[in-house]
Amino acid sequence: MATLPVYSWRLAPDGLATRRQLRAAGLRPGGQDVVAQVERPRRRRGPLTAFLYRVDRAKPVRPMTPAKTAALARANAARRTCPACRTDAGYVIPGSLGMCVPCAYPEPS
């Protein structure tokens, strides 16, 4: 098995991009293999690693279908609905609380 070339942070050659960089350009890896990696050093832990893909082999991002849009809207609505009072909180319910803030911290009477 061949090892991947490793580049230092911000020193990757042109024509290679991370998955996030591809997505920002409206592209996706499209099934291609990782061709290199870039490492960002950290002080007390191992380096952060990002995999690089060839931009010329990347494919355009698939467009959102109406069914995907509807499913995403339902999933986001479920994340905003408080299980205790069953109302839309207007924000994503914190996992640490498990319910909206007014239900988690009711006003003392």
Side-chain angles (χ1 to χ4, degrees):
M1 181 172 145
T3 60
L4 295 174
V6 178
Y7 298 103
S8 295
W9 188 249
R10 298 181 188 257
L11 296 178
D14 292 337
L16 299 180
T18 64
R19 188 178 294 263
R20 284 187 179 203
Q21 290 169 335
L22 289 176
R23 185 61 182 212
L27 301 171
R28 62 186 168 96
Q32 65 174 303
D33 291 331
V34 174
V35 295
Q37 65 184 17
V38 73
E39 287 187 347
R40 179 178 177 219
R42 296 192 288 183
R43 290 178 187 255
R44 294 195 170 111
R45 292 182 279 171
L48 290 174
T49 302
F51 297 115
L52 299 173
Y53 301 91
R54 289 182 49 176
V55 175
D56 59 346
R57 289 188 182 173
K59 296 180 180 177
V61 174
R62 295 183 187 115
M64 286 285 284
T65 63
K68 282 185 180 180
T69 304
L72 187 59
R74 285 192 306 272
N76 285 330
R79 293 179 67 200
R80 289 189 316 264
T81 303
C82 176
C85 62
R86 305 300 303 164
T87 59
D88 186 350
Y91 53 87
V92 175
I93 303 294
S96 59
L97 296 179
M99 60 185 70
C100 65
V101 174
C103 290
Y105 303 109
E107 291 185 23
S109 43

